[in-house]
Amino acid sequence: MSLHTSLTAVITSLVILSATVSCSVARDQQTVGGYIDDATITTQVKARMLSDSEVSGTSISVETLNGTVMLSGFATTNTEKATAESIARGVNGVTEVRNEIAVRP
């Protein structure tokens, strides 16, 4: 009975571990490392936008998937929209930027 209980505990632990790792790798990411890299890119883009006086970082959303950055939200000018894209392109690890920011004066 002790061996059966131990084996059950090990199998249960492996199932839980597998589910946890699967959940942490979201949106079709290939690896946990890729997910962490994307989170780092998103954080760096957002931080640079918030520190830039030409961009309203609170009005622009940033999402990253496999190095591709998606910008969305609102800008007050085309210059602000272009600056946000430029900031995103300047972050290490960014392979592509999709700029879906709408301009609203």
Side-chain angles (χ1 to χ4, degrees):
M1 189 59 113
S2 177
L3 178 62
H4 184 300
T5 303
S6 296
L7 189 56
T8 301
V10 168
I11 291 172
T12 302
S13 297
L14 289 174
V15 169
I16 291 171
L17 178 63
S18 174
T20 302
V21 170
S22 297
C23 290
S24 68
V25 179
R27 303 180 313 200
D28 297 326
Q29 292 284 349
Q30 297 301 316
T31 64
V32 173
Y35 179 78
I36 291 169
D37 290 344
D38 285 344
T40 300
I41 290 170
T42 298
T43 301
Q44 289 179 356
V45 171
K46 197 66 172 169
R48 290 181 187 188
M49 284 186 190
L50 290 170
S51 67
D52 191 293
S53 61
E54 293 183 34
V55 177
S56 175
T58 57
S59 298
I60 298 172
S61 296
V62 179
E63 294 183 43
T64 308
L65 180 62
N66 296 326
T68 299
V69 175
M70 170 69 89
L71 303 175
S72 60
F74 300 100
T76 56
T77 65
N78 283 322
T79 301
E80 181 181 3
K81 178 179 178 176
T83 301
E85 182 173 338
S86 177
I87 289 169
R89 288 188 188 283
V91 171
N92 191 27
V94 173
T95 58
E96 181 182 351
V97 176
R98 295 185 182 169
N99 192 342
E100 300 295 326
I101 299 171
V103 177
R104 279 194 193 172

